[in-house]
């Protein structure tokens, strides 16, 4: 019986592909993908263990971008990071607003802060933004702990890793603020071997269903990991996880 069911499914699938359904229905790919991932975000939220969260404003009817600092502050204070020696890696620096916050709120002179960006804007279209938008001048900061790596993450991160810049004796904070699915998935999978228990992942556009959320979900599913959520603002737009 099982063999018969498999044969029917295989026949139907192959016949469907033969009919080239994308010619008539290709326009449905994006809305179906978005709906499916919105439902996945909602299911994911309901499945999280919220008992260990330092901050969570779900549900708030209004988005307030300044709340991202409440996420940073709650993580920084509750994990006592202010004076800890850390590696801070930010992917998507642009105007360096979040980068400067972490730099100014960590007082350990042995911490290292690395910011990765093309500084020529997004490498592909995202939401209502076109490729090349969000370009910014590479920041010049007086703090000697701050370093910037200009170029695509896909070009700069492999060398950075080869040069052993990630000090495994320190806690690492990875701030993923590149918006894009491709950039986020690339970064998470490339950094995976260098991440350890206690490290922090921060996201800035997490609940966007086809981008950061999808990248994070694919990353967790592929590596069989389940980071613990510790803070969320703006209905999971900005989130923080700790690796357990
Ligand atoms: C939303 S902005 C970052 C905002 C910044 N964190 C802040 O607080 O001001 C996103 C940035 O990600 C960068 N980006 C996205 N994908 C990238 C990639 N693959 N390589 C390098 N930069 C990338 C874009 O150039 C853009 O500047």
């Amino acid at each position: 019986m099982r063999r018969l069911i498999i044969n029917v499914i295989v026949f139907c699938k192959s016949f469907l592909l033969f009919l080239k359904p994308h010619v008539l229905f290709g326009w449905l790919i994006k809305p179906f993908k978005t709906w499916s991932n919105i439902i996945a975000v909602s299911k994911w939220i309901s499945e999280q263990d919220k008992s260990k969260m330092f901050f969570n404003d779900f549900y708030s009817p209004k988005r307030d971008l300044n709340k991202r600092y409440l996420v940073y502050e709650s993580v920084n204070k509750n994990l006592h990071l202010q004076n800890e020696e850390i590696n801070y890696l930010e992917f998507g620096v642009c105007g360096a607003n979040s980068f400067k916050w972490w730099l100014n709120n960590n007082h350990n002179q042995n911490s290292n802060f690395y910011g990765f960006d093309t500084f020529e804007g997004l490498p592909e279209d995202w939401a209502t933004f076109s490729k090349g938008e969000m370009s910014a001048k590479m920041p010049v900061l007086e703090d000697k702990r701050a370093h910037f790596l200009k170029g695509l993450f896909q070009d700069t991160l492999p060398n950075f890793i080869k040069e052993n810049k990630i000090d495994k004796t320190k806690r690492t904070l990875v701030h993923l603020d590149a918006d894009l699915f491709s950039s986020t998935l690339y970064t998470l999978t490339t950094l995976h071997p260098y991440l350890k228990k206690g490290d922090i992942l921060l996201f800035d556009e997490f609940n966007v269903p086809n981008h950061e959320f999808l990248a994070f979900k694919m990353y967790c599913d592929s590596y069989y990991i389940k980071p613990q959520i510790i803070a969320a603002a703006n209905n999971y737009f900005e989130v923080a996880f700790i690796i357990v």
Side-chain angles (χ1 to χ4, degrees), residues 27 29 59 95 113 135 143 166 216:
W27 62 277
I29 294 174
Y59 168 78
F113 293 79
S135 64
D143 194 321
I166 306 174
F216 175 77

Side-chain angles (χ1 to χ4, degrees), residues 60-88:
S60 345
K62 218 172 126 209
R63 188 164 123 193
D64 172 1
L65 288 180
N66 282 324
K67 276 191 187 170
R68 62 151 91 171
Y69 300 112
L70 297 180
V71 169
Y72 306 165
E73 223 166 75
S74 70
V75 172
N76 208 27
K77 276 203 181 129
N78 285 285
L79 297 178
H80 311 288
L81 303 179
Q82 298 101 324
N83 296 309
E84 191 178 315
E85 205 172 311
I86 59 166
N87 302 308
Y88 177 85

Side-chain angles (χ1 to χ4, degrees), residues 113-150:
F113 293 79
Y114 296 100
F116 297 75
D117 204 301
T118 59
F119 294 107
E120 290 171 359
L122 292 168
E124 48 182 278
D125 296 349
W126 176 74
T128 56
F129 294 88
S130 305
K131 177 177 173 175
E133 280 189 68
M134 301 191 195
S135 64
K137 269 197 178 159
M138 196 196 286
V140 180
L141 304 179
E142 289 199 347
D143 194 321
K144 293 277 174 290
R145 300 173 302 165
H147 312 274
F148 296 101
L149 291 95
K150 180 176 161 57

Side-chain angles (χ1 to χ4, degrees), residues 68-69 72 90-99 116-123 133-136 151-154 175 177-180 182-183 204-205:
R68 62 151 91 171
Y69 300 112
Y72 306 165
E90 184 166 302
F91 294 86
V93 175
C94 195
N97 296 311
S98 43
F99 189 94
F116 297 75
D117 204 301
T118 59
F119 294 107
E120 290 171 359
L122 292 168
E133 280 189 68
M134 301 191 195
S135 64
L152 279 174
F153 309 154
Q154 289 85 339
H175 194 157
D177 192 4
D179 302 341
L180 296 167
S182 56
S183 306
D204 205 67
E205 265 83 23

Side-chain angles (χ1 to χ4, degrees), residues 164-176:
N164 286 322
K165 291 273 173 58
I166 306 174
D167 180 349
K168 275 199 166 181
T169 62
K170 298 176 188 168
R171 190 201 296 268
T172 298
L173 270 81
V174 182
H175 194 157
L176 298 127

